[in-house]
Structures are given as structure tokens and as C-alpha cells.
Amino acid sequence: MSLPSASRKAPVRVAVIGAGVIGLAVALELRSRGAEVVVYDRGMEIGAGVTIRAAGMLGAAFEWAAEDDNRALAALSRHAGMLWPDFAARIERLSSGSIEYSDEGALVVARNDAEMDWLESLAAACQARDLPVDRLSAAALRAQDGALTGAVRAGLLLPEDRQVDPVLLLQRLAAALSRQGVGLRFGRQVERIVGGQTFLFPDGDRFDRVVLATGAQSAPAFVGPRHAPLPTGLPAVLPVKGQMLALAPSDAMPRHVVHTRDVYIAPKSRWVLIGATAERGRSDTTVVPAALAELRRKAVEIAPGLANALELSSWAGIRPGSPDDAPLIGETAVPGVLAALGHYRNGVLLAPATAEIIASQIIDGKVSPLAAAFDPLRFDNGDEAPHSRSGSGLDK
Ligand code: GLY
């Protein structure tokens, strides 16, 4: 069975479920290509999910160079990094507001022999892949960023790694979407959608396509017009809890994103973020003082000026992982239902690339070569799924 072509004259109507950075970026791209778009979110206002709990790092080089095992993810990360300057400018233009996009580059530092080896392998990987990287002595590192007066032996500057403020990012994206005529429906937990030639939502609206961008939350169930389940074939999201600490900004804070092997510092104008734990399988948002103290201890080791900074806040966010830690982007086993899920550590970075892939598929019917490795049906053990899109299972 095939759904009506999205390229027919009437604009395609798309429901996006989830108002995190992925859902909003997808909505913006679809709207700019002529779709009518409504975004649903369970939260009463923007920011119910993990995006505003993220660090907002755009680690195209840091993540890409480290990604030896998954070349497709490396390529997607790099492509996303290249899209970001225009994406940031577009959001700022359409919302008339700043997202604190910074292209100062990221620093990676080593504190001991083992980390010196790690640093060197990261630098070599960057060079092998034509990613700009500068090797820095401890003195050169301090000249780059005067806050790094702690136990640093050497470092790297990754000039193409950038950052944004994720709180501003979400707010500005929402403002841009409203101005573009995208409906934002908050306080709507969509639990069940009736599929057929179109998709009927609980509020009575019908859509031609549905994009699932629910992050670590459960996605709605699909049923046919006579209520038979329509399995999407998606695997369960793997939650990975991350605890984070926010300290008051001061002159003693680094100006750059700084990574060690086990902690990162991401300075924003409102606060300095120090993250993060990675607790696989945990979906509670409890914050543990000992975990926060450990994060601060590691950050202070390299930037001692953070020792006495006032703690402004702390939280835990739930990263949406997948069985292979790579995202699920593309059509599910229910024709017309697309996944934009499982972005794990890199939702902010990957948002514009995901949006481009989903919009091309919906508007032009084209599957990007970049997306082939992220087929949502690549796992054998997805929900109830028949892993074939040919038998749609619609009981119309
Ligand atoms: N992207 C940083 C983190 O997941 O902690």
C-alpha cells in the first residue's frame, strides 16, 4: 500500500510529536519546504524534555574523530556540523533573538600519561579526516584560555567545534516556528493515533504524515481504523541519565568548551555547565550530591577558579539512547510514520541534519544516502514488528 504522494498540490499536513530540538528543527525544515505543520508536546510549556538539560555542545570534531566504529555516524555528525552556522543564523533571523552561538572552538586537555596518549590519538584521527586541529602545550593552552591553570599537561584546539545555549535555542526555535505559522500544542500527551490513508489524532485533527521525535518518552501507539495494532517496528528507547551542575559565571571560568576524558565544561553567559554522568538504563531524574561533587572536583582540577563558584542549579536529563547508540531516522514499519529518535549524546548537533533527512523524505520522497545507516528498522527485535514496509497491516 502506498500513501498519497506528499508532492501533490495541497500542502502535506505533518504532525511532529515532541517539541525538543529534534522535533522543532524538523518542523522548521518541513515548514520552509511548504508543509503545514503542527507540533504536539506532553509538557505544558517548552522544555519538558532533555534539550534544555543538555550542554548545547556542537562537538562535530570531538565526536566525529572519536567515532571510529561507526563511520556513518561520523559522517552524519560532520555534515551536521557544517549545517550549523546557517541553521543558527536562520533561527536567530526568524526569531529576532540570540541563541548564543559561539564558534570559539573547543579545547581538549590531558592531565596524565594515559590522557596524553588519548589526546594524540584524537589529534591523529582529526588529521586523518581533514578536521582542523591545533596541538597546544600547557603554556599555549593557558594562553588560549586563562582559566586552565590546573593540572593540564597539553591540549588540542578543535576550531570547528561550537556551542549554543540550549535554553535559548529551544525558546528561539519555538518563536521562529510560531512566526512561520507552525502550530505548537503543549500539554498534549498523544497516546494513540488511528492510521489509514491519513492519521487521526485524539483532538480530531488529521495528518498525512507523522514524525516521532519523542526523545526518551514513549511514542504513541498506532492502530488501524478497526483498532488493530499497527506496529512501528521501533526498538525501545534506551535511557542514559546524565547529571549536570550549573555554576555561577565569573572571570575565572573558561571561555571555551573544555573536554577532558571524563568531564566537560560548557560556559554560557547565564552559567557554567559541568557535565555529565552517563548512567545507562536509568530514567529517574534524581540528582545525587556525591555525583555532582565528583563532577566539580574533576572540573576544578583543570580550572581551579571554579572551586568556589556558587552552585546555581543541578539536574538530570535523560538521553535517548538506542541499541547501537546511533539515531533512528526514517520511515517506520507504519507507512507515513517517520522516526527522528535515539540521538543519545548529540541531539543538538544532529538536529539540522536530521531535519534535512526527514524533510527530504516527506516532501521529495528521497532517502538521503547519509540516512541509510540509521534505518529505524535495522534491529531484529523492534517492538511487535513485521520488519517490512510492504505489508502495512492497515485494517481498513
Ligand atoms: N552531549 C553531552 C552529554 O550527553 O553529556
Side-chain angles (χ1 to χ4, degrees):
M1 109 120 222
S2 65
L3 291 173
S5 160
S7 57
R8 67 198 190 288
K9 279 215 164 66
V12 61
R13 283 181 48 86
V14 185
V16 176
I17 307 185
V21 66
I22 299 291
L24 297 188
V26 167
L28 186 64
E29 189 61 29
L30 282 165
R31 183 71 192 127
S32 75
R33 298 190 194 197
E36 281 180 20
V37 188
V38 175
V39 181
Y40 288 82
D41 196 88
R42 75 193 163 98
M44 297 309 289
E45 55 187 25
I46 199 84
V50 72
T51 302
I52 67 159
R53 292 163 183 83
M57 299 179 297
L58 308 172
F62 185 73
E63 299 288 342
W64 195 83
E67 259 306 337
D68 228 8
D69 298 341
N70 191 334
R71 293 296 172 94
L73 186 51
L76 187 71
S77 299
R78 190 167 199 192
H79 179 64
M82 290 191 288
L83 294 178
W84 251 100
D86 282 350
F87 183 56
R90 189 165 152 214
I91 297 167
E92 292 190 337
R93 190 181 68 251
L94 292 175
S95 67
S96 311
S98 167
I99 59 172
E100 289 190 10
Y101 174 78
S102 157
D103 58 5
E104 296 242 18
L107 297 169
V108 189
V109 306
R111 294 161 294 188
N112 52 43
D113 287 348
E115 289 183 358
M116 290 295 281
D117 292 345
W118 168 72
L119 204 66
E120 185 44 43
S121 63
L122 200 57
C126 286
Q127 282 176 322
R129 289 153 195 181
D130 281 336
L131 283 162
V133 55
D134 295 333
R135 287 180 174 80
L136 304 174
S137 65
L141 199 53
R142 280 176 201 133
Q144 273 289 334
D145 200 315
L148 300 177
T149 55
V152 293
R153 294 258 303 266
L156 304 176
L157 171 66
L158 303 175
E160 291 189 0
D161 278 11
R162 308 176 176 111
Q163 66 162 332
V164 294
D165 179 327
V167 179
L168 293 177
L169 172 64
L170 266 199
Q171 289 170 347
R172 305 304 187 218
L173 264 170
L177 288 170
S178 290
R179 290 187 181 181
Q180 299 299 300
V182 170
L184 295 172
R185 297 185 185 167
F186 289 103
R188 308 285 185 97
Q189 173 98 45
V190 181
E191 279 170 2
R192 195 163 165 276
I193 297 169
V194 182
Q197 290 296 320
T198 57
F199 295 93
L200 174 62
F201 272 53
D203 59 10
D205 264 353
R206 285 188 177 277
F207 297 92
D208 303 305
R209 301 285 188 274
V210 179
V211 179
L212 303 175
T214 39
Q217 303 303 314
S218 50
F222 289 82
V223 296
R226 287 199 292 272
H227 308 291
L230 297 178
T232 57
L234 295 172
V237 173
L238 174 75
V240 184
K241 174 178 168 182
Q243 297 183 51
M244 179 107 85
L245 185 62
L247 302 179
S250 74
D251 290 345
M253 76 183 190
R255 285 187 306 111
H256 300 79
V257 165
V258 185
H259 301 272
T260 71
R261 207 167 183 179
D262 54 14
V263 73
Y264 56 75
I265 303 170
K268 318 288 172 188
S269 66
R270 77 181 66 222
W271 48 32
V272 189
L273 299 176
I274 300 179
T277 63
E279 302 165 58
R280 292 179 89 80
R282 293 285 297 269
S283 56
D284 65 277
T285 52
T286 315
V287 174
V288 181
L292 300 178
E294 182 64 3
L295 288 172
R296 189 196 280 242
R297 187 190 63 73
K298 289 173 186 164
V300 166
E301 242 177 58
I302 54 170
L306 296 173
N308 299 317
L310 185 69
E311 180 177 329
L312 295 182
S313 189
S314 60
W315 56 80
I318 309 303
R319 304 176 186 89
S322 75
D324 60 2
D325 287 345
L328 316 169
I329 310 174
E331 196 164 49
T332 70
V334 179
V337 178
L338 288 88
L341 295 167
H343 290 76
Y344 183 37
R345 296 174 59 85
N346 285 300
V348 180
L349 170 65
L350 296 176
T354 303
E356 189 183 74
I357 290 167
I358 296 283
S360 298
Q361 197 157 344
I362 290 179
I363 305 296
D364 310 319
K366 287 193 186 135
V367 179
S368 160
L370 275 174
F374 308 111
D375 183 345
L377 304 184
R378 65 186 179 276
F379 306 103
D380 288 329
N381 57 350
D383 57 9
E384 338 64 14
H387 284 188
S388 147
R389 297 186 183 93
S390 52
S392 73
L394 296 184
D395 62 350
K396 57 184 187 282

